[in-house]
Amino acid sequence: MKLFSPILAGATISERLIACAGAFVAIALTAAAGLLFPAPSPLVVAPIGASAVLIFAVPTSPLAQPWPVIGGNVISACVGLCVAWAVPDITLAAALAVALAIAVMSVTRSLHPPGGAVALTAALGGSAVAKWGSLFPLIPVGLNSLALVALGVAFHALSRRSYPHRAARTELNKLPIGSAQPFSAADIDEALAQMGETFDIARDDLDRLLQYAEANAARRQARTS
């Protein structure tokens, strides 16, 4: 059964059910928003499904925030189109589109994994890309991304979750210097339950990170004592 246990720190069954409900509503309404425009082809592109996973399953992730979702998808679509126009070889164009999309998203601080799929979609072409042409980054990609983010903000507000994510300031009783005790795995699990959020890091990696921090603090204290 361990194979099917949550991978991300803080993940619970209830969190996953909420994510499923949010994604269902958001994708349905995002598709409906497309009806406001005369559509020569479907107005929902497949990579938006991947964006929905990030927004609703891991809303605390830096990769799921509004600017990476909107900016990353739109910028990647532009990159994919430019590569498709400049590089006639489809294999080279596909590889170059994804690589350049990662580079441009990194520079613009809009790294969003589904952006790679958007760039690949634009580079490979297809009916949607062919019919929308140079408008493809805006319609449907930009329209989908804006609608998804707006619905994510509304849904998480209703479910009392932070999106766009801001780390909440928690008032903790400060321990006197030198009185801090080493924490255990159970303490980390309890802290995750108290925060009630899913984080984009594996539970084992979080444990290891905090162990390093604890060891570094102990060494610093030893040097100053």
Side-chain angles (χ1 to χ4, degrees):
M1 292 299 295
K2 187 175 181 180
L3 178 64
F4 298 99
S5 63
I7 297 173
L8 300 180
T12 62
I13 293 177
S14 62
E15 287 288 323
R16 285 293 175 263
L17 291 176
I18 291 172
C20 291
F24 174 84
V25 173
I27 293 298
L29 292 179
T30 297
L35 299 178
L36 299 175
F37 295 83
S41 63
L43 273 171
V44 176
V45 290
I48 292 300
S51 294
V53 172
L54 286 171
I55 291 175
F56 293 98
V58 279
T60 61
S61 172
L63 307 177
Q65 302 313 299
W67 169 239
V69 175
I70 299 170
N73 283 337
V74 172
I75 288 170
S76 296
C78 292
V79 170
L81 282 183
C82 291
V83 171
W85 293 334
V87 181
D89 182 82
I90 192 67
T91 302
L92 180 58
L96 192 58
V98 176
L100 288 179
I102 294 172
V104 177
M105 284 191 290
S106 298
V107 171
T108 57
R109 300 176 65 85
S110 62
L111 190 63
H112 184 59
V118 173
L120 184 60
T121 300
L124 293 177
S127 60
V129 179
K131 291 180 179 179
W132 286 108
S134 59
L135 287 178
F136 180 73
L138 299 179
I139 305 173
V141 173
L143 175 65
N144 287 175
S145 301
L146 281 169
L148 198 62
V149 165
L151 292 165
V153 170
F155 182 85
H156 286 303
L158 291 174
S159 59
R160 299 181 181 277
R161 281 162 178 76
S162 172
Y163 185 81
H165 180 66
R166 297 290 184 273
R169 292 185 178 182
T170 305
E171 295 295 331
L172 299 174
N173 294 326
K174 294 184 178 180
L175 295 173
I177 297 175
S179 64
Q181 299 296 316
F183 54 78
S184 65
D187 295 325
I188 299 174
D189 290 334
E190 184 178 359
L192 288 170
Q194 290 169 333
M195 296 184 72
E197 294 179 311
T198 301
F199 296 93
D200 193 10
I201 182 173
R203 176 62 182 76
D204 291 343
D205 289 334
L206 176 62
D207 194 1
R208 187 163 177 256
L209 172 66
L210 294 177
Q211 287 176 2
Y212 270 107
E214 185 181 46
N216 291 337
R219 281 194 293 268
R220 185 179 67 252
Q221 187 176 23
R223 287 196 298 266
T224 58
S225 61

